[in-house]
Amino acid sequence: MFNTDATGVDQAAGMSLVVFSLVLFTYYSVWVIVLPFVDSDHFLHKYFLPREYSVILPGIAAVILLICIGAFTVVVMWKNRKPKKVD
């Protein structure tokens, strides 16, 4: 069912991506869901950016993702185009 041919480097890279995603998800969830209910003078607030960035940063990431998807699509279509027939 699973490909067991992955090398140690592949497994380490995969595990690091999973850990990074888990840390990022946890940080963002605490920032957006928990922090609004904590007093503004609590020490926890010094570990997080201002709340405005919780909307701005994912928006910028979404724009960059869409640009990369669009660029990939253009490159694939450009490479797979067929030359015009000359009569």
Side-chain angles (χ1 to χ4, degrees):
M1 181 171 178
F2 293 106
N3 185 1
T4 59
D5 295 338
T7 64
V9 175
D10 293 337
Q11 291 176 349
M15 185 56 71
S16 63
L17 285 173
V18 168
V19 168
F20 175 75
S21 297
L22 182 63
V23 167
L24 187 65
F25 175 77
T26 304
Y27 179 86
Y28 188 77
S29 297
V30 169
W31 185 22
V32 173
I33 297 171
V34 175
L35 215 56
F37 299 106
V38 176
D39 291 334
S40 59
D41 59 343
H42 196 270
F43 77 93
L44 194 60
H45 279 277
K46 70 178 179 178
Y47 297 110
F48 295 91
L49 292 171
R51 209 169 294 142
E52 298 84 30
Y53 290 104
S54 67
V55 175
I56 295 171
L57 293 177
I60 291 171
V63 168
I64 291 172
L65 178 66
L66 289 174
I67 289 172
C68 290
I69 290 171
F72 175 77
T73 304
V74 167
V75 167
V76 168
M77 289 178 67
W78 185 270
K79 286 185 177 182
N80 289 335
R81 70 184 172 123
K82 295 181 180 178
K84 292 182 179 180
K85 289 185 178 179
V86 179
D87 291 329

